[in-house]
Amino acid sequence: LLWQGLRESVPDSVVYRQGEAVTEVEETGAAGVGVRLAGGSVERYDLVVGADGYRSVVRTALCPESRPQYAGYVCWRGNFDAALLAGLGSVADSVPEAGTTVCFPGGSCVIYRIPGPDGPRVNWVLYGSPPRDGQLRLDDPTSFPPGGLTPALAGHLAALLDREFPPYWARALALTAPADTFVQPIYDMETTRTAAGRLLLAGDAASVVRPHNTSGAAKALQDATALADGWRRCGSFEEL
């Protein structure tokens, strides 16, 4: 719903392209910025705003020395059909509207309902220590998206739930299909600069806050608002 609302506000005069991966950007002075696409073609633009996340290609061009630093723990996420809770055989057969928090040594998990295409679903976000057998690369930002969870990582999560969670909630989270589970190492990052020449960074490309602060989306919207305000006040790219 959020994406649709934002997408519908983009004027028809704006070319909106999906599925075009940008592999490199290079500022070329008065000629603007060259944007290289995955297919090999290079396009020229007057200004490039890098709102391309914590693995930003634009940030690599603007300040290559600024790199995300691993924070020492990972985030597991998943969701499943809320109707499955009825089969757990417990008096605690539902997730309260306000959600549930499970805390354990070295981590925590929040569990709450979300709307789904076929009815309510249960979403959960778990912060804890990573596997210690090299299953995750922690020297460079990476993640295992939904559908990419390996059997070894699934086994690590199952063992964590069995060891640290109350039995009911361990069984509840185990209802999550591997295709609906992913894991993401947590990183911190603050860039040395967010703008130079015809390049500008916004959102997680400019700075990364840990997801349990629940401020990343607000930060990105504030950046976009500041850019729009600056654009109205300035008469040139240099002033912006």
Side-chain angles (χ1 to χ4, degrees):
L1 292 176
L2 176 60
W3 182 89
Q4 289 177 344
L6 293 172
R7 176 67 184 89
E8 290 168 358
S9 69
V10 177
D12 293 337
S13 59
V14 174
V15 178
Y16 191 101
R17 293 157 54 175
Q18 292 181 263
E20 293 276 11
V22 175
T23 60
E24 184 181 6
V25 298
E26 181 181 7
E27 191 171 16
T28 54
V33 184
V35 176
R36 184 178 297 276
L37 303 180
S41 63
V42 178
E43 302 181 1
R44 301 288 174 183
Y45 295 94
D46 295 326
L47 176 70
V48 169
V49 178
D52 50 342
Y54 69 102
R55 289 182 284 185
S56 171
V57 172
V58 181
R59 184 180 67 244
T60 299
L62 181 60
C63 44
E65 72 282 0
S66 297
R67 297 186 57 80
Q69 301 296 315
Y70 175 55
Y73 61 103
V74 300
C75 174
W76 303 81
R77 297 175 185 265
N79 68 88
F80 59 89
D81 186 348
L84 296 175
L85 291 172
L88 290 185
S90 169
V91 293
D93 60 357
S94 65
V95 177
E97 291 298 325
T100 296
T101 299
V102 176
C103 296
F104 55 92
S108 64
C109 180
V110 291
I111 309 163
Y112 52 94
R113 288 179 179 267
I114 60 172
D118 302 312
R121 297 184 68 80
V122 175
N123 192 68
W124 54 270
V125 184
L126 188 161
Y127 299 99
S129 59
R132 299 188 181 279
D133 52 6
Q135 297 178 50
L136 292 175
R137 284 185 57 199
L138 302 174
D139 58 336
D140 193 52
T142 186
S143 66
F144 284 73
L149 198 68
T150 65
L153 285 171
H156 175 87
L157 176 61
L160 186 155
L161 295 176
D162 182 64
R163 182 178 67 251
E164 304 289 2
F165 274 55
Y168 173 80
W169 292 113
R171 294 196 304 271
L173 268 62
L175 296 171
T176 310
D180 294 320
T181 308
F182 74 94
V183 57
Q184 173 189 3
I186 303 302
Y187 293 85
D188 295 320
M189 191 203 66
E190 183 176 359
T191 54
T192 54
R193 57 181 179 173
T194 58
R198 301 294 181 91
L199 298 176
L200 175 67
L201 300 176
D204 282 352
S207 63
V208 175
V209 294
R210 301 185 186 187
H212 47 78
N213 291 325
T214 63
S215 59
K219 174 170 61 71
L221 290 169
Q222 289 170 345
D223 286 351
T225 301
L227 173 59
D229 290 343
W231 191 271
R232 296 186 186 98
R233 292 195 305 268
C234 298
S236 68
F237 291 120
E238 289 71 24
E239 291 180 37
L240 179 64

